[in-house]
């Protein structure tokens, strides 16, 4: 059997392999047309919605019951997974870039189709975005600055206590020394005065 492919070439029945078309994005059991939510040829999904499904289709009224679908998520798992339906459910993807590759094998002919590739970008949660990391850095630097200021304050207080203690001890020593000197001077003066009085009295007694 000869089949015309897109009006440009003639293929045998065994070689005939129609293209795969990704049609819908599934979230919470609701189907949404995929093209309106594509951005520059890429499906962007928030991390909070990273459990989703992809629906695809092929237009083939000849071999359709004999198809075995396969998919691979490049960047997550290198193995091809057999899928029995036209819906692929995806979960547990970390933030990053992936490529969903879909193909099918005609079980009656063994012919494998061309791959249909869907670029997927899982957006990071808000606490893992670049601006969140900037906030973390600012908070960290603020804490470090506060700790340094606290250490400097404690150092100044301790330094002032040591200085005051040293001055008090020095003042006590000075007062003690002054008191000792005064006592010594008082004793010496008393002795000198007494001696002078004795000399004067002796002079009076012996004119």
């Amino acid at each position: 059997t000869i089949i015309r492919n897109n009006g440009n070439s003639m293929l045998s029945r065994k070689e005939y392999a129609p293209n795969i078309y990704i049609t819908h994005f599934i979230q919470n059991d609701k189907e949404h047309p995929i093209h309106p939510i594509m951005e520059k040829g890429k499906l962007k999904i928030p991390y909070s919605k990273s459990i989703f499904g992809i629906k695809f289709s092929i237009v083939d009224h000849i071999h359709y019951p004999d198809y075995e679908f396969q998919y691979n998520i490049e960047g997550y798992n290198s193995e091809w997974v057999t899928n029995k339906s036209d819906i692929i459910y995806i979960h547990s993807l970390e933030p990053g870039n992936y490529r969903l590759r879909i193909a099918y094998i005609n079980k009656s002919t063994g012919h494998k189709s061309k791959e249909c590739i869907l670029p997927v970008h899982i957006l990071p949660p808000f606490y893992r975005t670049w601006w969140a990391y900037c906030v973390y850095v600012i908070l960290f630097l603020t804490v470090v600055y506060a700790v340094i200021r606290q250490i400097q304050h404690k150092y100044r207080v301790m330094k002032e206590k040591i200085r005051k203690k040293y001055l008090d001890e020095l003042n006590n020593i000075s007062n003690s020394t002054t008191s000792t000197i005064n006592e010594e001077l008082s004793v010496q003066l008393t002795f000198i005065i007494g001696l002078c009085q004795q000399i004067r009295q002796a002079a009076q007694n012996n004119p």
Side-chain angles (χ1 to χ4, degrees):
T1 303
I2 303 299
I3 302 171
R4 184 176 296 276
N5 182 26
N6 296 327
N8 297 322
S9 60
M10 305 298 289
L11 300 174
S12 69
R13 184 185 181 94
K14 291 184 178 181
E15 295 174 336
Y16 179 62
N19 294 328
I20 300 173
Y21 298 96
I22 297 174
T23 59
H24 290 83
F25 172 79
I26 302 173
Q27 186 82 59
N28 298 326
D29 296 326
K30 295 181 180 180
E31 295 186 3
H32 308 277
I34 197 166
H35 292 290
I37 60 177
M38 297 282 288
E39 294 184 24
K40 297 180 180 180
K42 182 180 292 187
L43 179 63
K44 292 186 177 182
I45 304 171
Y47 182 73
S48 59
K49 298 181 179 180
S50 58
I51 300 176
F52 60 95
I54 296 295
K55 186 175 182 179
F56 58 91
S57 67
I58 57 175
V59 180
D60 186 3
H61 301 291
I62 300 175
H63 295 132
Y64 184 76
D66 296 326
Y67 288 149
E68 179 182 86
F69 299 107
Q70 296 179 334
Y71 73 91
N72 164 267
I73 303 176
E74 190 176 288
Y76 174 72
N77 192 345
S78 59
E79 297 181 359
W80 285 88
V81 180
T82 300
N83 203 63
K84 296 182 179 180
S85 70
D86 57 354
I87 297 177
I88 298 171
Y89 289 99
I90 299 172
H91 57 86
S92 302
L93 292 182
E94 290 294 318
N97 293 302
Y98 304 90
R99 293 204 314 165
L100 174 62
R101 301 160 62 191
I102 307 172
Y104 63 84
I105 296 176
N106 188 323
K107 292 186 290 184
S108 62
T109 64
H111 186 75
K112 186 175 182 178
S113 71
K114 292 182 179 179
E115 295 179 5
C116 177
I117 299 176
L118 174 67
V120 178
H121 178 60
I122 305 296
L123 299 170
F126 72 93
Y127 55 84
R128 292 174 62 180
T129 56
W130 66 267
W131 55 265
Y133 287 117
C134 289
V135 172
Y136 301 152
V137 171
I138 293 172
L139 290 175
F140 174 76
L141 294 177
T142 302
V143 171
V144 171
Y145 176 75
V147 171
I148 292 174
R149 289 297 300 270
Q150 185 71 14
I151 293 173
Q152 289 177 339
H153 175 70
K154 289 183 177 180
Y155 173 75
R156 285 194 297 267
V157 171
M158 185 181 298
K159 185 178 178 182
E160 182 62 24
K161 287 182 178 179
I162 294 173
R163 188 184 72 86
K164 186 176 180 182
K165 183 179 180 181
Y166 174 76
L167 290 176
D168 290 342
E169 290 179 355
L170 186 62
N171 188 43
N172 291 334
I173 294 172
S174 177
N175 291 337
S176 177
T177 303
T178 302
S179 178
T180 302
I181 292 173
N182 289 336
E183 289 177 0
E184 290 292 333
L185 287 175
S186 178
V187 171
Q188 295 296 331
L189 287 173
T190 302
F191 174 75
I192 293 171
I193 291 171
L195 182 61
C196 289
Q197 288 177 349
Q198 289 178 2
I199 293 172
R200 186 179 64 180
Q201 187 175 4
Q204 289 176 353
N205 294 330
N206 298 302

